[in-house]
């Protein structure tokens, strides 16, 4: 999937993946896509909840070799 | 969509109890909430520039997981508190949990408002120069001005 920016949250625990995802989105424009990589399994549900509550769209959510990959499209 | 609001009252000054207010406040701010934390009594320790005095004690803390069982008579020996604090900080770091300083900084970056209880400052004769700059001083009425209109209000 194409993306405009990447944020690697590997090794970070709650709430850093979410809080820093929010920060990464700040300087992006509407419609752009942020790729987030996380190793915290709690991030899977948190990232969906973040999308639901902020209006950003979680385009996909996959696991590859112990890493969770998210594509978040900015509102 | 109207902005949701959350207010937290932080009353504890130990390492374990310092985390919940900053974790919840930074997360809520990331979700778009307007957040205020009212620091009162021992919670004021969390506003110091230097957080090295924020510690965890194994004493009277039976829920704290220890690598080996430790009798209370041992827990009360000098240096045990510093040791437990060091072990906890190492564990937090190993697991990728942010430091208190980092979480507090993130709260400030996301415009979480910190209010320090003026009465407690006077009571414990704290020196305001020891606190970080981004703090407002006020009382319970000032807190209620915001808390009364929140969606979530927590006492920690």
């Amino acid at each position: 999937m194409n993306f405009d920016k990447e944020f690697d949250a590997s090794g970070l625990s709650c709430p850093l993946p979410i809080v820093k995802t929010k920060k990464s989105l700040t300087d992006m424009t509407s419609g752009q896509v942020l790729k987030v990589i996380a190793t915290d399994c709690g991030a899977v549900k948190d990232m969906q909840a973040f999308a639901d509550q902020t209006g950003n769209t979680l385009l996909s959510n996959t696991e590859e070799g112990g890493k969770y990959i998210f594509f978040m499209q900015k509102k | 969509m109207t902005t949701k609001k959350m207010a937290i009252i932080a009353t504890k000054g130990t390492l374990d109890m310092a985390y919940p207010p900053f974790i919840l406040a930074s997360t809520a701010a990331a979700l778009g909430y307007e957040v205020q934390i009212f620091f009162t009594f021992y919670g004021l320790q969390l506003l110091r520039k230097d957080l090295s005095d924020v510690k965890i004690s194994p004493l009277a803390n039976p829920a704290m997981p220890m690598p080996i069982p430790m009798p209370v008579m041992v827990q009360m020996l000098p240096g045990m508190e510093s040791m437990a604090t060091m072990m906890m900080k190492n564990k937090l770091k190993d697991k990728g949990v942010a430091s208190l300083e980092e979480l507090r900084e993130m709260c400030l970056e996301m415009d979480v408002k910190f209010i320090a209880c003026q009465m407690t400052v006077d009571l414990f004769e704290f020196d305001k120069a020891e606190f970080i700059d981004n703090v407002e001083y006020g009382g319970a009425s000032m807190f209620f001005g915001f808390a009364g209109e929140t969606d979530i209000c927590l006492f920690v």
Side-chain angles (χ1 to χ4, degrees):
Chain A
M1 192 177 295
N2 292 329
F3 55 93
D4 302 285
K5 191 177 174 184
E6 182 177 310
F7 162 50
D8 189 352
S10 297
L12 300 181
S13 289
C14 170
L16 292 181
I18 293 297
V19 172
K20 293 197 168 179
T21 292
K22 158 74 179 173
K23 271 178 74 176
S24 300
L25 285 167
T26 307
D27 61 359
M28 293 173 68
T29 57
S30 180
Q32 284 192 314
V33 175
L34 174 71
K35 178 182 180 183
V36 181
I37 305 163
T39 49
D40 172 19
C41 63
V44 177
K45 287 195 170 165
D46 275 353
M47 207 61 82
Q48 183 64 57
F50 172 81
D52 292 345
Q53 291 174 74
T54 55
N56 299 299
T57 309
L58 185 57
L59 298 174
S60 92
N61 162 13
T62 51
E63 194 200 334
E64 284 172 30
K67 295 211 171 199
Y68 303 94
I69 318 284
F70 306 91
F71 289 93
M72 185 80 72
Q73 185 171 40
K74 182 161 174 166
K75 182 172 69 165
Chain B
M1 194 163 68
T2 55
T3 306
K4 289 195 168 192
K5 294 179 183 177
M6 177 169 80
I8 299 175
I9 306 171
T11 64
K12 309 289 196 298
T14 53
L15 182 62
D16 50 337
M17 295 304 283
Y19 271 91
F22 289 136
I23 288 180
L24 294 170
S26 57
T27 305
L31 293 173
Y33 280 70
E34 182 184 343
V35 185
Q36 286 193 10
I37 310 178
F38 184 72
F39 296 86
T40 185
F41 278 79
Y42 311 117
L44 276 183
Q45 302 286 6
L46 309 183
L47 292 177
R48 285 183 185 279
K49 287 173 188 158
D50 177 11
L51 290 175
S52 58
D53 281 339
V54 174
K55 293 178 176 170
I56 186 164
S57 175
L59 198 60
N61 197 356
M64 184 178 173
M66 298 295 275
I68 44 165
M70 202 172 282
V72 171
M73 287 294 283
V74 176
Q75 291 170 10
M76 63 192 283
L77 293 173
M80 289 307 292
E81 191 177 85
S82 297
M83 197 184 81
T85 301
M86 195 184 73
M87 284 167 61
M88 180 65 90
K89 282 186 176 173
N90 285 339
K91 198 179 229 346
L92 289 162
K93 204 174 170 186
D94 287 348
K95 302 282 185 186
V97 180
S99 66
L100 285 180
E101 287 85 349
E102 192 181 353
L103 281 175
R104 184 172 70 180
E105 192 53 41
M106 248 164 336
C107 285
L108 289 171
E109 273 179 34
M110 291 190 295
D111 297 324
V112 172
K113 197 163 152 188
F114 293 165
I115 299 168
C117 170
Q118 180 66 52
M119 181 275 281
T120 313
V121 172
D122 297 338
L123 176 69
F124 294 140
E125 297 174 356
F126 283 135
D127 180 358
K128 285 183 182 174
E130 289 184 12
F131 293 138
I132 54 173
D133 297 328
N134 317 55
V135 175
E136 269 188 55
Y137 295 85
S141 301
M142 179 183 166
F143 174 73
F144 279 113
F146 177 78
E149 293 176 353
T150 55
D151 301 275
I152 301 174
C153 191
L154 303 172
F155 181 91
V156 179

